[in-house]
Amino acid sequence: MNKWVSVVVGALLVLLGSVWTLQGLNVVKGSFMTGQQLWTAIGLLAVIGGITLLVTGLRKKRAR
């Protein structure tokens, strides 16, 4: 995967995962996900996956 693609996808996963986690924890209201433990778990997994993509994308060296 291209370096910048993994960085962008990782950042989006961190952002979405954070929102899903906060909705699952009943901090952000107004959705069917509010107060559901399933969305807390899905959000945390998305955040972990996003951080992994960000770190690997930022550590890749440029191919010459």
Side-chain angles (χ1 to χ4, degrees), residues 13-14 16-22 37-50:
L13 272 174
V14 170
L16 282 174
S18 299
V19 171
W20 292 342
T21 301
L22 291 174
Q37 285 183 340
L38 175 66
W39 288 102
T40 303
I42 291 171
L44 289 174
L45 289 173
V47 168
I48 291 168

mmCIF file with all atom_site columns, all heavy atoms in Angstrom, residues 13-14 16-22 37-50:
data_model
loop_
_atom_site.group_PDB
_atom_site.id
_atom_site.type_symbol
_atom_site.label_atom_id
_atom_site.label_alt_id
_atom_site.label_comp_id
_atom_site.label_asym_id
_atom_site.label_entity_id
_atom_site.label_seq_id
_atom_site.pdbx_PDB_ins_code
_atom_site.Cartn_x
_atom_site.Cartn_y
_atom_site.Cartn_z
_atom_site.occupancy
_atom_site.B_iso_or_equiv
_atom_site.pdbx_formal_charge
_atom_site.auth_seq_id
_atom_site.auth_comp_id
_atom_site.auth_asym_id
_atom_site.auth_atom_id
_atom_site.pdbx_PDB_model_num
ATOM 1   N N   . LEU A 1 13 ? -9.659  6.076  10.147 1.00 0.00 ? 13 LEU A N   1
ATOM 2   C CA  . LEU A 1 13 ? -10.063 5.033  11.084 1.00 0.00 ? 13 LEU A CA  1
ATOM 3   C C   . LEU A 1 13 ? -9.979  5.512  12.527 1.00 0.00 ? 13 LEU A C   1
ATOM 4   O O   . LEU A 1 13 ? -10.850 5.202  13.345 1.00 0.00 ? 13 LEU A O   1
ATOM 5   C CB  . LEU A 1 13 ? -9.197  3.784  10.904 1.00 0.00 ? 13 LEU A CB  1
ATOM 6   C CG  . LEU A 1 13 ? -9.661  2.779  9.882  1.00 0.00 ? 13 LEU A CG  1
ATOM 7   C CD1 . LEU A 1 13 ? -8.633  1.668  9.720  1.00 0.00 ? 13 LEU A CD1 1
ATOM 8   C CD2 . LEU A 1 13 ? -10.996 2.192  10.258 1.00 0.00 ? 13 LEU A CD2 1
ATOM 9   N N   . VAL A 1 14 ? -8.942  6.271  12.853 1.00 0.00 ? 14 VAL A N   1
ATOM 10  C CA  . VAL A 1 14 ? -8.819  6.808  14.210 1.00 0.00 ? 14 VAL A CA  1
ATOM 11  C C   . VAL A 1 14 ? -9.971  7.771  14.504 1.00 0.00 ? 14 VAL A C   1
ATOM 12  O O   . VAL A 1 14 ? -10.583 7.719  15.568 1.00 0.00 ? 14 VAL A O   1
ATOM 13  C CB  . VAL A 1 14 ? -7.452  7.499  14.414 1.00 0.00 ? 14 VAL A CB  1
ATOM 14  C CG1 . VAL A 1 14 ? -7.410  8.269  15.718 1.00 0.00 ? 14 VAL A CG1 1
ATOM 15  C CG2 . VAL A 1 14 ? -6.337  6.467  14.381 1.00 0.00 ? 14 VAL A CG2 1
ATOM 16  N N   . LEU A 1 16 ? -13.042 8.000  12.958 1.00 0.00 ? 16 LEU A N   1
ATOM 17  C CA  . LEU A 1 16 ? -14.321 7.282  13.038 1.00 0.00 ? 16 LEU A CA  1
ATOM 18  C C   . LEU A 1 16 ? -14.396 6.386  14.267 1.00 0.00 ? 16 LEU A C   1
ATOM 19  O O   . LEU A 1 16 ? -15.431 6.319  14.930 1.00 0.00 ? 16 LEU A O   1
ATOM 20  C CB  . LEU A 1 16 ? -14.537 6.441  11.775 1.00 0.00 ? 16 LEU A CB  1
ATOM 21  C CG  . LEU A 1 16 ? -14.991 7.176  10.543 1.00 0.00 ? 16 LEU A CG  1
ATOM 22  C CD1 . LEU A 1 16 ? -15.015 6.243  9.345  1.00 0.00 ? 16 LEU A CD1 1
ATOM 23  C CD2 . LEU A 1 16 ? -16.353 7.776  10.758 1.00 0.00 ? 16 LEU A CD2 1
ATOM 24  N N   . GLY A 1 17 ? -13.308 5.704  14.563 1.00 0.00 ? 17 GLY A N   1
ATOM 25  C CA  . GLY A 1 17 ? -13.281 4.842  15.734 1.00 0.00 ? 17 GLY A CA  1
ATOM 26  C C   . GLY A 1 17 ? -13.488 5.615  17.027 1.00 0.00 ? 17 GLY A C   1
ATOM 27  O O   . GLY A 1 17 ? -14.158 5.141  17.947 1.00 0.00 ? 17 GLY A O   1
ATOM 28  N N   . SER A 1 18 ? -12.949 6.815  17.078 1.00 0.00 ? 18 SER A N   1
ATOM 29  C CA  . SER A 1 18 ? -13.145 7.656  18.270 1.00 0.00 ? 18 SER A CA  1
ATOM 30  C C   . SER A 1 18 ? -14.611 8.045  18.428 1.00 0.00 ? 18 SER A C   1
ATOM 31  O O   . SER A 1 18 ? -15.161 7.998  19.533 1.00 0.00 ? 18 SER A O   1
ATOM 32  C CB  . SER A 1 18 ? -12.282 8.920  18.177 1.00 0.00 ? 18 SER A CB  1
ATOM 33  O OG  . SER A 1 18 ? -10.927 8.584  18.106 1.00 0.00 ? 18 SER A OG  1
ATOM 34  N N   . VAL A 1 19 ? -15.242 8.417  17.335 1.00 0.00 ? 19 VAL A N   1
ATOM 35  C CA  . VAL A 1 19 ? -16.665 8.782  17.380 1.00 0.00 ? 19 VAL A CA  1
ATOM 36  C C   . VAL A 1 19 ? -17.506 7.572  17.788 1.00 0.00 ? 19 VAL A C   1
ATOM 37  O O   . VAL A 1 19 ? -18.387 7.667  18.643 1.00 0.00 ? 19 VAL A O   1
ATOM 38  C CB  . VAL A 1 19 ? -17.135 9.355  16.024 1.00 0.00 ? 19 VAL A CB  1
ATOM 39  C CG1 . VAL A 1 19 ? -18.648 9.522  15.989 1.00 0.00 ? 19 VAL A CG1 1
ATOM 40  C CG2 . VAL A 1 19 ? -16.455 10.683 15.754 1.00 0.00 ? 19 VAL A CG2 1
ATOM 41  N N   . TRP A 1 20 ? -17.224 6.409  17.181 1.00 0.00 ? 20 TRP A N   1
ATOM 42  C CA  . TRP A 1 20 ? -17.988 5.198  17.515 1.00 0.00 ? 20 TRP A CA  1
ATOM 43  C C   . TRP A 1 20 ? -17.800 4.812  18.977 1.00 0.00 ? 20 TRP A C   1
ATOM 44  O O   . TRP A 1 20 ? -18.742 4.397  19.644 1.00 0.00 ? 20 TRP A O   1
ATOM 45  C CB  . TRP A 1 20 ? -17.579 4.042  16.618 1.00 0.00 ? 20 TRP A CB  1
ATOM 46  C CG  . TRP A 1 20 ? -17.974 4.212  15.193 1.00 0.00 ? 20 TRP A CG  1
ATOM 47  C CD1 . TRP A 1 20 ? -18.920 5.065  14.694 1.00 0.00 ? 20 TRP A CD1 1
ATOM 48  C CD2 . TRP A 1 20 ? -17.431 3.533  14.070 1.00 0.00 ? 20 TRP A CD2 1
ATOM 49  N NE1 . TRP A 1 20 ? -18.997 4.950  13.332 1.00 0.00 ? 20 TRP A NE1 1
ATOM 50  C CE2 . TRP A 1 20 ? -18.097 4.012  12.918 1.00 0.00 ? 20 TRP A CE2 1
ATOM 51  C CE3 . TRP A 1 20 ? -16.444 2.569  13.921 1.00 0.00 ? 20 TRP A CE3 1
ATOM 52  C CZ2 . TRP A 1 20 ? -17.812 3.546  11.653 1.00 0.00 ? 20 TRP A CZ2 1
ATOM 53  C CZ3 . TRP A 1 20 ? -16.161 2.106  12.652 1.00 0.00 ? 20 TRP A CZ3 1
ATOM 54  C CH2 . TRP A 1 20 ? -16.839 2.592  11.533 1.00 0.00 ? 20 TRP A CH2 1
ATOM 55  N N   . THR A 1 21 ? -16.575 4.953  19.485 1.00 0.00 ? 21 THR A N   1
ATOM 56  C CA  . THR A 1 21 ? -16.313 4.632  20.892 1.00 0.00 ? 21 THR A CA  1
ATOM 57  C C   . THR A 1 21 ? -17.085 5.572  21.809 1.00 0.00 ? 21 THR A C   1
ATOM 58  O O   . THR A 1 21 ? -17.722 5.130  22.779 1.00 0.00 ? 21 THR A O   1
ATOM 59  C CB  . THR A 1 21 ? -14.805 4.719  21.193 1.00 0.00 ? 21 THR A CB  1
ATOM 60  O OG1 . THR A 1 21 ? -14.114 3.802  20.336 1.00 0.00 ? 21 THR A OG1 1
ATOM 61  C CG2 . THR A 1 21 ? -14.510 4.382  22.635 1.00 0.00 ? 21 THR A CG2 1
ATOM 62  N N   . LEU A 1 22 ? -17.053 6.856  21.506 1.00 0.00 ? 22 LEU A N   1
ATOM 63  C CA  . LEU A 1 22 ? -17.776 7.824  22.343 1.00 0.00 ? 22 LEU A CA  1
ATOM 64  C C   . LEU A 1 22 ? -19.282 7.605  22.267 1.00 0.00 ? 22 LEU A C   1
ATOM 65  O O   . LEU A 1 22 ? -19.990 7.770  23.268 1.00 0.00 ? 22 LEU A O   1
ATOM 66  C CB  . LEU A 1 22 ? -17.414 9.245  21.929 1.00 0.00 ? 22 LEU A CB  1
ATOM 67  C CG  . LEU A 1 22 ? -15.981 9.666  22.249 1.00 0.00 ? 22 LEU A CG  1
ATOM 68  C CD1 . LEU A 1 22 ? -15.690 11.041 21.662 1.00 0.00 ? 22 LEU A CD1 1
ATOM 69  C CD2 . LEU A 1 22 ? -15.720 9.640  23.741 1.00 0.00 ? 22 LEU A CD2 1
ATOM 70  N N   . GLN A 1 37 ? -22.661 -1.366 23.781 1.00 0.00 ? 37 GLN A N   1
ATOM 71  C CA  . GLN A 1 37 ? -21.302 -1.847 24.029 1.00 0.00 ? 37 GLN A CA  1
ATOM 72  C C   . GLN A 1 37 ? -20.635 -2.360 22.760 1.00 0.00 ? 37 GLN A C   1
ATOM 73  O O   . GLN A 1 37 ? -19.415 -2.283 22.625 1.00 0.00 ? 37 GLN A O   1
ATOM 74  C CB  . GLN A 1 37 ? -21.305 -2.950 25.069 1.00 0.00 ? 37 GLN A CB  1
ATOM 75  C CG  . GLN A 1 37 ? -21.523 -2.456 26.469 1.00 0.00 ? 37 GLN A CG  1
ATOM 76  C CD  . GLN A 1 37 ? -21.434 -3.593 27.474 1.00 0.00 ? 37 GLN A CD  1
ATOM 77  O OE1 . GLN A 1 37 ? -21.575 -4.750 27.120 1.00 0.00 ? 37 GLN A OE1 1
ATOM 78  N NE2 . GLN A 1 37 ? -21.201 -3.235 28.719 1.00 0.00 ? 37 GLN A NE2 1
ATOM 79  N N   . LEU A 1 38 ? -21.415 -2.886 21.828 1.00 0.00 ? 38 LEU A N   1
ATOM 80  C CA  . LEU A 1 38 ? -20.855 -3.374 20.577 1.00 0.00 ? 38 LEU A CA  1
ATOM 81  C C   . LEU A 1 38 ? -20.095 -2.267 19.855 1.00 0.00 ? 38 LEU A C   1
ATOM 82  O O   . LEU A 1 38 ? -18.988 -2.487 19.346 1.00 0.00 ? 38 LEU A O   1
ATOM 83  C CB  . LEU A 1 38 ? -21.973 -3.923 19.679 1.00 0.00 ? 38 LEU A CB  1
ATOM 84  C CG  . LEU A 1 38 ? -21.549 -4.353 18.282 1.00 0.00 ? 38 LEU A CG  1
ATOM 85  C CD1 . LEU A 1 38 ? -20.615 -5.550 18.351 1.00 0.00 ? 38 LEU A CD1 1
ATOM 86  C CD2 . LEU A 1 38 ? -22.762 -4.658 17.437 1.00 0.00 ? 38 LEU A CD2 1
ATOM 87  N N   . TRP A 1 39 ? -20.658 -1.063 19.825 1.00 0.00 ? 39 TRP A N   1
ATOM 88  C CA  . TRP A 1 39 ? -20.003 0.033  19.115 1.00 0.00 ? 39 TRP A CA  1
ATOM 89  C C   . TRP A 1 39 ? -18.792 0.563  19.868 1.00 0.00 ? 39 TRP A C   1
ATOM 90  O O   . TRP A 1 39 ? -17.874 1.116  19.265 1.00 0.00 ? 39 TRP A O   1
ATOM 91  C CB  . TRP A 1 39 ? -21.000 1.141  18.804 1.00 0.00 ? 39 TRP A CB  1
ATOM 92  C CG  . TRP A 1 39 ? -21.914 0.687  17.723 1.00 0.00 ? 39 TRP A CG  1
ATOM 93  C CD1 . TRP A 1 39 ? -23.193 0.247  17.855 1.00 0.00 ? 39 TRP A CD1 1
ATOM 94  C CD2 . TRP A 1 39 ? -21.579 0.528  16.346 1.00 0.00 ? 39 TRP A CD2 1
ATOM 95  N NE1 . TRP A 1 39 ? -23.671 -0.160 16.641 1.00 0.00 ? 39 TRP A NE1 1
ATOM 96  C CE2 . TRP A 1 39 ? -22.708 0.003  15.693 1.00 0.00 ? 39 TRP A CE2 1
ATOM 97  C CE3 . TRP A 1 39 ? -20.435 0.782  15.594 1.00 0.00 ? 39 TRP A CE3 1
ATOM 98  C CZ2 . TRP A 1 39 ? -22.718 -0.269 14.333 1.00 0.00 ? 39 TRP A CZ2 1
ATOM 99  C CZ3 . TRP A 1 39 ? -20.450 0.516  14.242 1.00 0.00 ? 39 TRP A CZ3 1
ATOM 100 C CH2 . TRP A 1 39 ? -21.586 -0.005 13.633 1.00 0.00 ? 39 TRP A CH2 1
ATOM 101 N N   . THR A 1 40 ? -18.772 0.365  21.180 1.00 0.00 ? 40 THR A N   1
ATOM 102 C CA  . THR A 1 40 ? -17.561 0.698  21.934 1.00 0.00 ? 40 THR A CA  1
ATOM 103 C C   . THR A 1 40 ? -16.422 -0.209 21.490 1.00 0.00 ? 40 THR A C   1
ATOM 104 O O   . THR A 1 40 ? -15.308 0.255  21.224 1.00 0.00 ? 40 THR A O   1
ATOM 105 C CB  . THR A 1 40 ? -17.803 0.542  23.441 1.00 0.00 ? 40 THR A CB  1
ATOM 106 O OG1 . THR A 1 40 ? -18.902 1.365  23.831 1.00 0.00 ? 40 THR A OG1 1
ATOM 107 C CG2 . THR A 1 40 ? -16.579 0.931  24.239 1.00 0.00 ? 40 THR A CG2 1
ATOM 108 N N   . ALA A 1 41 ? -16.698 -1.503 21.391 1.00 0.00 ? 41 ALA A N   1
ATOM 109 C CA  . ALA A 1 41 ? -15.675 -2.467 20.984 1.00 0.00 ? 41 ALA A CA  1
ATOM 110 C C   . ALA A 1 41 ? -15.239 -2.239 19.536 1.00 0.00 ? 41 ALA A C   1
ATOM 111 O O   . ALA A 1 41 ? -14.038 -2.241 19.229 1.00 0.00 ? 41 ALA A O   1
ATOM 112 C CB  . ALA A 1 41 ? -16.196 -3.884 21.161 1.00 0.00 ? 41 ALA A CB  1
ATOM 113 N N   . ILE A 1 42 ? -16.197 -2.023 18.644 1.00 0.00 ? 42 ILE A N   1
ATOM 114 C CA  . ILE A 1 42 ? -15.868 -1.779 17.235 1.00 0.00 ? 42 ILE A CA  1
ATOM 115 C C   . ILE A 1 42 ? -15.034 -0.499 17.106 1.00 0.00 ? 42 ILE A C   1
ATOM 116 O O   . ILE A 1 42 ? -14.064 -0.454 16.352 1.00 0.00 ? 42 ILE A O   1
ATOM 117 C CB  . ILE A 1 42 ? -17.148 -1.693 16.381 1.00 0.00 ? 42 ILE A CB  1
ATOM 118 C CG1 . ILE A 1 42 ? -17.820 -3.065 16.303 1.00 0.00 ? 42 ILE A CG1 1
ATOM 119 C CG2 . ILE A 1 42 ? -16.850 -1.161 14.981 1.00 0.00 ? 42 ILE A CG2 1
ATOM 120 C CD1 . ILE A 1 42 ? -19.193 -3.050 15.665 1.00 0.00 ? 42 ILE A CD1 1
ATOM 121 N N   . GLY A 1 43 ? -15.403 0.523  17.845 1.00 0.00 ? 43 GLY A N   1
ATOM 122 C CA  . GLY A 1 43 ? -14.657 1.778  17.804 1.00 0.00 ? 43 GLY A CA  1
ATOM 123 C C   . GLY A 1 43 ? -13.233 1.628  18.300 1.00 0.00 ? 43 GLY A C   1
ATOM 124 O O   . GLY A 1 43 ? -12.296 2.157  17.692 1.00 0.00 ? 43 GLY A O   1
ATOM 125 N N   . LEU A 1 44 ? -13.055 0.878  19.384 1.00 0.00 ? 44 LEU A N   1
ATOM 126 C CA  . LEU A 1 44 ? -11.700 0.667  19.902 1.00 0.00 ? 44 LEU A CA  1
ATOM 127 C C   . LEU A 1 44 ? -10.848 -0.127 18.916 1.00 0.00 ? 44 LEU A C   1
ATOM 128 O O   . LEU A 1 44 ? -9.663  0.177  18.725 1.00 0.00 ? 44 LEU A O   1
ATOM 129 C CB  . LEU A 1 44 ? -11.757 -0.040 21.252 1.00 0.00 ? 44 LEU A CB  1
ATOM 130 C CG  . LEU A 1 44 ? -12.273 0.810  22.408 1.00 0.00 ? 44 LEU A CG  1
ATOM 131 C CD1 . LEU A 1 44 ? -12.434 -0.047 23.661 1.00 0.00 ? 44 LEU A CD1 1
ATOM 132 C CD2 . LEU A 1 44 ? -11.349 1.978  22.674 1.00 0.00 ? 44 LEU A CD2 1
ATOM 133 N N   . LEU A 1 45 ? -11.440 -1.127 18.283 1.00 0.00 ? 45 LEU A N   1
ATOM 134 C CA  . LEU A 1 45 ? -10.705 -1.894 17.268 1.00 0.00 ? 45 LEU A CA  1
ATOM 135 C C   . LEU A 1 45 ? -10.332 -1.016 16.078 1.00 0.00 ? 45 LEU A C   1
ATOM 136 O O   . LEU A 1 45 ? -9.224  -1.131 15.534 1.00 0.00 ? 45 LEU A O   1
ATOM 137 C CB  . LEU A 1 45 ? -11.526 -3.091 16.809 1.00 0.00 ? 45 LEU A CB  1
ATOM 138 C CG  . LEU A 1 45 ? -11.669 -4.225 17.826 1.00 0.00 ? 45 LEU A CG  1
ATOM 139 C CD1 . LEU A 1 45 ? -12.642 -5.274 17.312 1.00 0.00 ? 45 LEU A CD1 1
ATOM 140 C CD2 . LEU A 1 45 ? -10.322 -4.835 18.131 1.00 0.00 ? 45 LEU A CD2 1
ATOM 141 N N   . ALA A 1 46 ? -11.233 -0.132 15.687 1.00 0.00 ? 46 ALA A N   1
ATOM 142 C CA  . ALA A 1 46 ? -10.944 0.781  14.575 1.00 0.00 ? 46 ALA A CA  1
ATOM 143 C C   . ALA A 1 46 ? -9.815  1.743  14.937 1.00 0.00 ? 46 ALA A C   1
ATOM 144 O O   . ALA A 1 46 ? -8.942  2.024  14.112 1.00 0.00 ? 46 ALA A O   1
ATOM 145 C CB  . ALA A 1 46 ? -12.202 1.550  14.176 1.00 0.00 ? 46 ALA A CB  1
ATOM 146 N N   . VAL A 1 47 ? -9.817  2.232  16.168 1.00 0.00 ? 47 VAL A N   1
ATOM 147 C CA  . VAL A 1 47 ? -8.755  3.143  16.614 1.00 0.00 ? 47 VAL A CA  1
ATOM 148 C C   . VAL A 1 47 ? -7.408  2.418  16.620 1.00 0.00 ? 47 VAL A C   1
ATOM 149 O O   . VAL A 1 47 ? -6.400  2.951  16.133 1.00 0.00 ? 47 VAL A O   1
ATOM 150 C CB  . VAL A 1 47 ? -9.069  3.731  18.009 1.00 0.00 ? 47 VAL A CB  1
ATOM 151 C CG1 . VAL A 1 47 ? -7.867  4.435  18.595 1.00 0.00 ? 47 VAL A CG1 1
ATOM 152 C CG2 . VAL A 1 47 ? -10.244 4.687  17.924 1.00 0.00 ? 47 VAL A CG2 1
ATOM 153 N N   . ILE A 1 48 ? -7.382  1.197  17.133 1.00 0.00 ? 48 ILE A N   1
ATOM 154 C CA  . ILE A 1 48 ? -6.134  0.428  17.163 1.00 0.00 ? 48 ILE A CA  1
ATOM 155 C C   . ILE A 1 48 ? -5.637  0.146  15.749 1.00 0.00 ? 48 ILE A C   1
ATOM 156 O O   . ILE A 1 48 ? -4.453  0.309  15.445 1.00 0.00 ? 48 ILE A O   1
ATOM 157 C CB  . ILE A 1 48 ? -6.335  -0.877 17.959 1.00 0.00 ? 48 ILE A CB  1
ATOM 158 C CG1 . ILE A 1 48 ? -6.540  -0.557 19.441 1.00 0.00 ? 48 ILE A CG1 1
ATOM 159 C CG2 . ILE A 1 48 ? -5.146  -1.823 17.777 1.00 0.00 ? 48 ILE A CG2 1
ATOM 160 C CD1 . ILE A 1 48 ? -7.021  -1.721 20.267 1.00 0.00 ? 48 ILE A CD1 1
ATOM 161 N N   . GLY A 1 49 ? -6.552  -0.251 14.865 1.00 0.00 ? 49 GLY A N   1
ATOM 162 C CA  . GLY A 1 49 ? -6.163  -0.487 13.475 1.00 0.00 ? 49 GLY A CA  1
ATOM 163 C C   . GLY A 1 49 ? -5.680  0.776  12.793 1.00 0.00 ? 49 GLY A C   1
ATOM 164 O O   . GLY A 1 49 ? -4.715  0.756  12.016 1.00 0.00 ? 49 GLY A O   1
ATOM 165 N N   . GLY A 1 50 ? -6.344  1.899  13.065 1.00 0.00 ? 50 GLY A N   1
ATOM 166 C CA  . GLY A 1 50 ? -5.933  3.173  12.477 1.00 0.00 ? 50 GLY A CA  1
ATOM 167 C C   . GLY A 1 50 ? -4.567  3.620  12.945 1.00 0.00 ? 50 GLY A C   1
ATOM 168 O O   . GLY A 1 50 ? -3.753  4.097  12.152 1.00 0.00 ? 50 GLY A O   1
#
